[in-house]
Amino acid sequence: MQPNTDRTAPDPEPTAGDAAEAEAQAQAQTPAARVPQQSGGDTPASAPAPAPASARPRVTLRSDLRAGVLDGAVALVITAAIFVLLYARIRSRASSTATVMPFMADDPGGFWMYFLSQAFGWSALLWAWVTVVLGLLLSGPRPAWLPMSVPRLERLHRTTSLNTISLIAAHALLFAAELINHDTDAWYAAAWTAFVESFVPGGYASGTGRIAIPIGQAALYLAIPLGLLFYIRHRIGPTTWRVLHRFVIAVYILSVWHTLLYGTNVWYDGWFRTSIWLLQLPIAALFLLRLLRPARRSQRLTAPSAHPGSQAGWTLRLTGRILAGATLAILLAVLATGRDGGRAEPPADTSSTHNHD
């Protein structure tokens, strides 16, 4: 989930995505052919030449996994805190989960894996949110008040991306483990059923899960390749990587959609569901700002006459800006009116199954 950036001189400041692309290009050149560039795109004759690309450590999956240990530890601590909160709320019957599935409130200890799966799902959504925000800050105008440098933001963006994938996977695996734990069939039959229901689109054939679980599966199956393509960008080419990387936002949208549909904590109207909608405002605003003031010159929306032969591309960029603005307006309307799709009252009876009807 790395940012999609590629500035063209004389843009004032290169982003870390440019550094990654420049590094890949430099590795294909001989040392004598490498020409270092400054942030403005022109290298003054009196300026000292920076270290060659070969002297800088290359970003690899292994190095980012090592760098992401601290970030992952923080994610686990937050997941544990969320688990304690969810468990306490279900025991006190303050959680709407107790309304949807009261049998869990009667025996919370017997369903601890379900609550842990929920905790990993919430921390995954939080880490996905942070990852998207960092990506938008890197690919658009960076606020002057931001204390971190571009390389540090880029590395944090990569590590939160990797940890998001891990958190989503843990969420799905624990959901499957919970299904196995309460299946009365033989272990191998229970394991197969849990695998189909948790990881095969359409395998979960009851209740809201018929729609919500395939959406969550799509988020997981898109997050893995899109998050890891950065590490083979020198093989697939920077242009291909940038095109594919644009679909990262879809992973986040699918994750939010899955949460609003299937998260029993946010089924009903209330502050918990409202907070999910509130979190989308910064994303929508940053995305609109990124489109209005893109880092790459080629993505700027100038007059159509300035782009001869590319009327379709100009129209697409204009449409994207209109849709982003409309999304922000819709979010504001949802929060102002309180019509956020939440259920007004609990269902009549869902006390006997996991169906989440």
Side-chain angles (χ1 to χ4, degrees), residues 302-347:
T302 56
S305 58
H307 299 274
S310 59
Q311 184 65 36
W314 184 90
T315 303
L316 184 62
R317 287 190 292 273
L318 177 62
T319 303
R321 286 154 175 79
I322 294 174
L323 291 176
T327 299
L328 183 59
I330 290 172
L331 287 173
L332 291 172
V334 166
L335 294 170
T337 62
R339 297 181 177 275
D340 57 7
R343 293 163 171 81
E345 55 186 36

Side-chain angles (χ1 to χ4, degrees), residues 200-225:
V200 177
Y204 198 96
S206 61
T208 309
R210 287 176 294 182
I211 299 175
I213 288 184
I215 291 173
Q217 292 165 343
L220 173 62
Y221 298 149
L222 280 174
I224 294 173

Side-chain angles (χ1 to χ4, degrees), residues 129 132-133 136 252 275-289 328 331:
W129 185 88
V132 172
V133 168
L136 291 173
Y252 179 73
S275 65
I276 297 297
W277 288 96
L278 280 172
L279 283 174
Q280 310 320 310
L281 283 177
I283 297 287
L286 285 172
F287 186 64
L288 178 60
L289 184 62
L328 183 59
L331 287 173

Side-chain angles (χ1 to χ4, degrees), residues 2-357:
Q2 289 68 36
N4 179 16
T5 55
D6 178 26
R7 291 178 181 258
T8 305
D11 289 347
E13 182 181 1
T15 63
D18 292 318
E21 182 179 342
E23 175 189 348
Q25 294 172 347
Q27 289 169 354
Q29 298 175 338
T30 62
R34 297 173 186 157
V35 181
Q37 292 187 354
Q38 301 297 322
S39 58
D42 297 320
T43 304
S46 59
S54 58
R56 299 193 298 269
R58 179 181 175 185
V59 175
T60 64
L61 177 59
R62 180 178 299 180
S63 66
D64 278 346
L65 288 173
R66 288 197 299 265
V69 170
L70 178 59
D71 177 67
V74 173
L76 291 177
V77 170
I78 291 180
T79 301
I82 295 174
F83 170 74
V84 171
L85 174 63
L86 295 177
Y87 193 86
R89 284 174 55 82
I90 193 70
R91 286 197 62 180
S92 65
R93 296 182 180 269
S95 171
S96 58
T97 300
T99 304
V100 181
M101 297 177 289
F103 61 91
M104 289 189 175
D106 296 335
D107 181 25
F111 295 93
W112 67 270
M113 279 191 291
Y114 178 79
F115 304 129
L116 187 57
S117 172
Q118 280 193 319
F120 271 103
W122 281 109
S123 57
L125 185 62
L126 176 59
W127 251 247
W129 185 88
V130 172
T131 300
V132 172
V133 168
L134 291 173
L136 291 173
L137 288 174
L138 285 163
S139 59
R142 190 163 62 95
W145 50 261
L146 205 61
M148 299 180 67
S149 64
V150 170
R152 288 183 62 189
L153 281 174
E154 168 70 13
R155 185 172 68 175
L156 182 60
H157 178 57
R158 294 195 307 268
T159 58
T160 56
S161 170
L162 294 174
N163 282 312
T164 297
I165 296 172
S166 300
L167 293 168
I168 297 175
H171 168 63
L173 289 170
L174 282 165
F175 182 81
E178 167 64 20
L179 294 179
I180 295 173
N181 189 41
H182 287 88
D183 197 323
T184 57
D185 290 339
W187 69 268
Y188 50 87
W192 175 251
T193 300
F195 171 78
V196 171
E197 292 187 344
S198 302
F199 296 102
V200 177
Y204 198 96
S206 61
T208 309
R210 287 176 294 182
I211 299 175
I213 288 184
I215 291 173
Q217 292 165 343
L220 173 62
Y221 298 149
L222 280 174
I224 294 173
L226 292 178
L228 299 180
L229 279 174
F230 172 81
Y231 302 99
I232 59 170
R233 66 197 181 283
H234 57 287
R235 295 185 180 181
I236 64 175
T239 302
T240 301
W241 172 67
R242 285 196 301 269
V243 170
L244 293 175
H245 191 70
R246 292 172 183 172
F247 292 95
V248 166
I249 192 67
V251 175
Y252 179 73
I253 294 173
L254 290 170
S255 299
V256 174
W257 191 7
H258 169 77
T259 301
L260 292 174
L261 280 178
Y262 209 54
T264 52
N265 313 97
V266 294
W267 267 25
Y268 305 116
D269 295 326
W271 70 268
F272 217 38
R273 187 177 183 90
T274 301
S275 65
I276 297 297
W277 288 96
L278 280 172
L279 283 174
Q280 310 320 310
L281 283 177
I283 297 287
L286 285 172
F287 186 64
L288 178 60
L289 184 62
R290 183 251 184 270
L291 292 178
L292 294 176
R293 297 174 56 192
R296 290 198 293 140
R297 182 187 294 267
S298 60
Q299 293 182 352
R300 297 172 186 173
L301 190 66
T302 56
S305 58
H307 299 274
S310 59
Q311 184 65 36
W314 184 90
T315 303
L316 184 62
R317 287 190 292 273
L318 177 62
T319 303
R321 286 154 175 79
I322 294 174
L323 291 176
T327 299
L328 183 59
I330 290 172
L331 287 173
L332 291 172
V334 166
L335 294 170
T337 62
R339 297 181 177 275
D340 57 7
R343 293 163 171 81
E345 55 186 36
D349 181 17
T350 58
S351 60
S352 59
T353 70
H354 274 78
N355 289 350
H356 296 196
D357 289 320

